[in-house]
Amino acid sequence: MTKLIFPVLLCGGSGTRLWPLSRKSYPKQFVKLTGDESLYQASARRLSGAGFAAPTIVTAADFRFIVIEQLAALEITPADILIEPSAKNTAAAICAAALALEARAPGALMLVAPSDHVIPAAARFRDAVQAAAPAASAGQLVTFGIRPDRPETGYGWLELSTPTPDFAPLPQPLRSFVEKPNLAKAETLLAGGMHLWNAGIFLFSTATILDAFSVHAPEVLAGTHAAFDAAEKDLGFTRLAPSPWSELPDISIDYAVMERAPNLTVVPYAGTWSDLGDWQAVWREAESDTTGTVITGPATALDCQDTLLQATSEAQQLVGIGLQDIIAVAMPDAVLIAHKDRAQDVKQAVAELKAKAVPQAETLPRDYRPWGWYESLVVGPRFQVKRIVVHPGAALSLQSHHHRAEHWIVVEGTAKVTVDSEVKLVSENQSVYIPLGAVHRMENPGKVPLTLIEVQTGSYLGEDDIIRYEDVYARGQGAKG
């Protein structure tokens, strides 16, 4: 009988190498980069269905409602969502997930996977996972290695113990980890046929990995245990305790445990895989025309070769002429132009933008909230115009502002609006005025999204000018939205 697999999706990170589409406020795992689903949604779907339990998600507080919303669109209900107080790399995240699973399903086989990888052949990958299950059940720490097709310097590599010409998904002892090589070494590893790319995907039992932490990284286990034991339940989320969590080392699972453990097994995977680590990887994985040019969105290419043109706004046309080996990504608030060979340097460019306090370095024009999203359309001295979309059944907090008044115009749907003691319905083409200092709330009582235009006027228009009186999402004073 096949043993049930418990997926753990790691859903942190900022994906800065895919700027401007991926930013700290909405990183690449939530973006639809390769199809109609986000990378996170595709990962969750891939690890669902027969043989898989409901997933455990490890993420940051800023993303907690995004992970629920995107799973709900797939009709997948997570078993648990662990909220990290801060990013501490993969060791602490995996340890926390293991503790949560051990408490809920002792001895469970947990499949740990990043949420931003592309694995098109889902059934083939699930077969590889099932092939790894006996080794994991027997106490092995199983890692999955990808058949390499180029001398990649951006990945770590795994050394096999025996040759596998067809890279069949057969478990075998892992001989060693290889750090990210230079090009010459990568070419040697590729030619030798004894090495795989390290995908950062693991399968082991909760008991095995917790034992490994106790032996090889006891400080990680102790600190994570303290954070888990003092965790608080909040609207279905498990908030790990900040104080012990802050003392944890920032270390990967490879350095903390895997490279020190003797009970290592590797399962080769010969299917297509990518971590979409930069724009060159996106170009490589996307469907191109006969010239090797990839076009996404309102873009046009003339005499281009091996180039990626991606635009996100119908109000903005991107045109490339005579380009070769170029990445061009256009968004309403930021444009990236780079040679494909410099794709890794996008991270450095983002760092420079951040150093100059450029808001586009980390935030998108569209800001996601638990009730929906908004985007700024026009910002001027003492005024701002926003488009706001509220999900069916959702509600903003009951709130007031010290420094601004607001005017709401409904353009789609129906709003239930509270202004001080008055509650009324506002339909399409109707408007309502919110005086400065008035206690107010907006709700969507309908079954279709509510869209409205908000005009703010006042001396200060910052998102932190907010006093909350009631909030179904349990956000504190000054929190956005």
Side-chain angles (χ1 to χ4, degrees), residues 234-253:
D234 172 21
L235 297 175
F237 304 104
T238 301
R239 288 183 175 271
L240 300 167
S243 181
W245 189 267
S246 67
E247 301 299 321
L248 286 168
D250 185 334
I251 188 171
S252 71
I253 188 69

Side-chain angles (χ1 to χ4, degrees), residues 158-194:
L158 305 171
E159 184 179 6
L160 298 167
S161 56
T162 57
T164 55
D166 57 354
F167 294 97
L170 301 175
Q172 64 166 279
L174 175 64
R175 177 168 291 176
S176 68
F177 288 84
V178 180
E179 293 293 328
K180 294 178 182 179
N182 59 30
L183 181 58
K185 185 172 183 179
E187 290 173 340
T188 300
L189 298 179
L190 179 65
M194 288 288 290

Side-chain angles (χ1 to χ4, degrees), residues 390-398 408 410 412-428 430-432 434 439-452 470:
V390 184
H391 298 316
L396 280 68
S397 60
L398 186 66
W408 296 340
V410 175
E412 184 178 8
T414 299
K416 181 181 177 182
V417 176
T418 299
V419 182
D420 290 328
S421 60
E422 182 182 6
V423 180
K424 62 180 179 180
L425 295 178
V426 182
S427 302
E428 292 181 12
Q430 295 181 336
S431 64
V432 62
I434 314 296
V439 176
H440 60 281
R441 166 181 276 161
M442 179 200 315
E443 304 172 61
N444 181 359
K447 295 184 178 181
V448 298
L450 164 65
T451 303
L452 58 91
E470 296 176 8

